[in-house]
Every structure is written in C-alpha cells, then in structure tokens.
Amino acid sequence: MEFLLDLHPDAYPLEGFRRRQLLEWVFVQGVGDFSAMTNLPAELRTQLQGAFHLNPFREIETVRSADGSVKYLFTLQDGRQMEAVYMPYLDRKTVCVSTMVGCPARCAFCATGAMGFGRNLTPGEIVAQVLAVAGGEGLAPRELRNLVFMGMGEAMLNYENTMAAARILLHPQALGMSKRRITLSTVGIAKGIRRLAEEDDLGLKLAISLHAPDEETRQRIIPTGAANSIEEIMAAARDYQAVTGRRITMEYTMLRGINDHPWQAELLAERLRGLVSHVNLIPMNPWEGSGFQSSTEEQIQTFYDILESRGVDVSVRRSRGKDAGAACGQLALKRPGAVSGAVSSAASGVGSGAGAA
C-alpha cells in the first residue's frame, strides 16, 4: 500500500475537481481518514482506502514545556522513532521537523548526534510531522506558517527527500507555505549548499551550523567536519549567496572553554568578511552525558561584543523547550518528567481534523 503523502500534489491519483477536494481534506482541513472525506463518493473513498494510507505513525507522544513549546515523539510504522518541536510565538507558529531518524553528523555536543544514524525519512514522513503537530495543537494545518528543517538529521544527506517535502509544503494546493518562512539547516555540506542554490523554484533560507572558526576546534566537536573544511564551506556559502542573493544564518553553539575564546570571535569575524550573514550565538543546551557546558553569560557577551565591533550582524538565540528536552541539540527520544499526552494515531490518521467542516 502506497503512502499518499509521499506523492507530489500534482501526482495525486485523482484529477481536476476531485483532486482539489482530496488535497483540501488532507492539507486544509487536516483530515487523515479517507472515510471522513464526506464530499467524495463512497466508492471512491473505498478505492482510496484500499490503495493508499495516510498515516506513517504508530504512536504520537507529547512533552509540553513551561514556555509553551511542545516536543512530539513519533513512533513510525517500522518501530523507529524521531521527533519534531512546536514553538508558538506571539507573531508566528513554528514547527521544527526532522529529516532523519538520528543523525550521522555526530556533533559531540548534540544529543541527536550521540544516537547515531537510523535511516532517512521519506518526503511524506517529513510532511506528516507538520500535519500531526497541527492536529495535536488543535490547529488547521495552514496555521503553521514557519518551518525549520532543524530537527533530527542532516537534511543535505537526505537531499532528494527533503527537497520533495519542501515542494509539498510550498505547493499552493497543499500547505501553501512561503519560501521565505522555510529554513534548512546544515552542518556544512558544501556540495549540498551549492546544489540548493540551483533550486530556483524553492528559495529556501539557509542556516549553516559552523560552531567553530578554526579547523582544529571544529573537527574536535564535529568529527565528520573533516569531510568539508571551513574554507570549502565558506566558499560554498559565497557561491550560494552569489546565485541567490539571500542572507545566510551562521549557527554557533557556545561551549565553555572550547569555542568561546576572544581570538575565535576575531577569526569568525574574519571568516565572514564580505558575506551577508547573521550569526546566532546559542548557549549550549544541557543533556545528560554530554561532557560539555555552556559558555558563561560573561563569555557570551564578550564574544558578542567582539563580533558586533567587527561589523557582524549577531544575536543570542535563547532556545525554547529546555525543560521538555526539546531545545536545540537535545532531541534524543528522551521523556523528561511525565509525558503529557500519548495518543494512538492508528485509527484517526495524522491530523485531528481540527479545521474540518
């Protein structure tokens, strides 16, 4: 049986008016059960039910943070697990989705990296996270307007499936997201960065997890970093910007005594010279067994001041969802405290139907 969400909306098994009806049920109304699509003929619903399934999840659990963020733990049909995070703000609702089970990048300060690599997610498994989060929060799918590919996995190493998912997210008859509101994060796969620049129909925003300006430190905290030197990453970033004209975000996790020295701030500023960029300084989020500590507030401020004095656009990003194990670098299938909700999704499908008529 084929997973319907793996298909591009233009390849759905109906034509014309019926296809539009089906797309509206799935992506506008958030209904994950063919039998509930009441304006489709009963015979057609039966045919769809026999040929396709709409739900990649065996179970969905949630852990809610005091700041309003929610971690979603998904058990896939093959028993593997991965996570997504819902982050509500005053002016937007954002979902952080995974592209893999686990991650092969093995960043030493990241709990996901410590898990190792499980498998790539399919386009539909990526998109289904958005529908499930919307349903879990009582929202219509299109109320989630901001998305970041920053959950589990290295999106550039699951490139085809991630791009296919992005095209579904952007499709006007699917989730109709704005390309300006989708960000893809990479640990620095130079080939993938250049490839992304050529995706004319996508226009996704790019974030590079640099985390150190010198090779010795970067390869210490990112063991796979040797495959793409900082010089190669920066050259790819400049090529990307020359093609797209878009600003690039540099993610920099602040690790006490590792990458927070003043000379490293100076070197980072030098690396970014001539590049239109924004640096996010991220205090390291704790997780059991990491062996790292976040830089002190004083160290972060000194690093910030040096960058700013060198003309670098910089901010300190305070991660949300720490108490739920949902913050940047914490995703590792952990359940801190009590799980606040556990719902079997087998019967009801991915969405809750919150927006259904």
Side-chain angles (χ1 to χ4, degrees):
M1 188 178 291
E2 195 170 3
F3 182 31
L4 186 69
L5 294 181
D6 278 336
L7 301 180
H8 186 276
D10 292 343
Y12 269 38
L14 303 177
E15 295 183 357
F17 177 62
R18 291 301 185 199
R19 176 185 294 171
R20 290 194 297 274
Q21 286 181 310
L22 178 57
L23 288 167
E24 180 164 340
W25 280 114
V26 174
F27 293 109
V28 180
Q29 307 293 348
V31 170
D33 185 347
F34 291 114
S35 66
M37 300 178 184
T38 52
N39 61 355
L40 296 178
E43 183 179 353
L44 178 56
R45 280 180 269 159
T46 300
Q47 291 172 354
L48 290 170
Q49 195 83 44
F52 298 95
H53 70 94
L54 278 168
N55 181 22
F57 306 129
R58 183 187 301 175
E59 189 175 26
I60 303 172
E61 300 173 64
T62 59
V63 182
R64 297 189 176 268
S65 167
D67 65 18
S69 302
V70 187
K71 180 167 75 170
Y72 278 75
L73 171 60
F74 299 107
T75 301
L76 296 157
Q77 294 296 348
D78 64 2
R80 293 182 182 270
Q81 294 182 313
M82 52 80 182
E83 294 174 337
V85 182
Y86 169 66
M87 296 170 286
Y89 299 89
L90 289 176
D91 59 343
R92 66 193 184 280
K93 298 178 177 69
T94 298
V95 60
C96 173
V97 300
S98 295
T99 57
M100 294 177 170
V101 173
C103 183
R106 302 205 316 274
C107 297
F109 54 87
C110 177
T112 307
M115 291 174 53
F117 173 66
R119 70 167 173 84
N120 288 333
L121 297 178
T122 71
E125 288 172 335
I126 297 170
V127 172
Q129 296 170 62
V130 182
L131 299 178
V133 168
E137 300 307 309
L139 303 171
R142 290 192 176 189
E143 290 184 70
L144 293 172
R145 306 313 297 156
N146 290 67
L147 181 136
V148 290
F149 291 109
M150 292 185 183
M152 290 182 167
E154 167 53 63
M156 290 297 191
L157 296 180
N158 188 17
Y159 189 90
E160 297 292 347
N161 287 349
T162 300
M163 294 304 110
R167 289 186 167 87
I168 297 171
L169 295 167
L170 292 167
H171 195 283
Q173 290 182 330
L175 286 172
M177 286 187 169
S178 165
K179 60 184 68 175
R180 294 183 180 141
R181 296 189 173 191
I182 300 179
T183 300
L184 182 148
S185 178
T186 175
V187 77
I189 311 297
K191 181 179 178 181
I193 292 170
R194 290 191 172 94
R195 193 175 176 190
L196 181 65
E198 303 300 328
E199 302 283 359
D200 295 335
D201 60 326
L202 291 179
L204 306 185
K205 295 166 68 176
L206 175 65
I208 299 175
S209 294
L210 196 62
H211 301 309
D214 60 293
E215 291 293 353
E216 181 180 355
T217 302
R218 193 168 199 273
Q219 291 182 32
R220 174 185 171 187
I221 60 178
I222 306 177
T224 56
N228 292 267
S229 70
I230 296 174
E231 291 287 349
E232 290 171 327
I233 294 168
M234 298 309 298
R238 286 182 165 81
D239 290 346
Y240 170 90
Q241 193 156 85
V243 172
T244 67
R246 299 186 195 99
R247 185 179 74 164
I248 298 171
T249 297
M250 293 290 173
E251 307 284 354
Y252 199 100
T253 298
M254 300 294 295
L255 305 171
R256 188 181 305 182
I258 306 293
N259 66 352
D260 58 359
H261 302 289
W263 68 265
Q264 288 169 314
E266 298 277 4
L267 180 55
L268 178 58
E270 183 62 30
R271 293 278 194 194
L272 297 175
R273 190 181 300 245
L275 187 72
V276 181
S277 64
H278 178 85
V279 175
N280 270 333
L281 301 179
I282 309 168
M284 187 256 180
N285 295 305
W287 52 277
E288 186 177 354
S290 72
F292 292 92
Q293 291 180 295
S294 175
S295 304
T296 66
E297 289 297 323
E298 182 180 1
Q299 289 168 323
I300 294 171
Q301 187 63 53
T302 298
F303 205 91
Y304 177 101
D305 289 343
I306 293 171
L307 291 177
E308 187 177 52
S309 71
R310 300 300 184 270
V312 175
D313 187 19
V314 58
S315 62
V316 178
R317 192 178 86 195
R318 305 292 177 181
S319 298
R320 295 169 61 105
K322 288 184 186 181
D323 57 323
C328 181
Q330 288 186 321
L331 299 186
L333 310 179
K334 302 293 184 183
R335 301 166 174 83
V339 175
S340 61
V343 203
S344 171
S345 59
S348 60
V350 171
S352 69

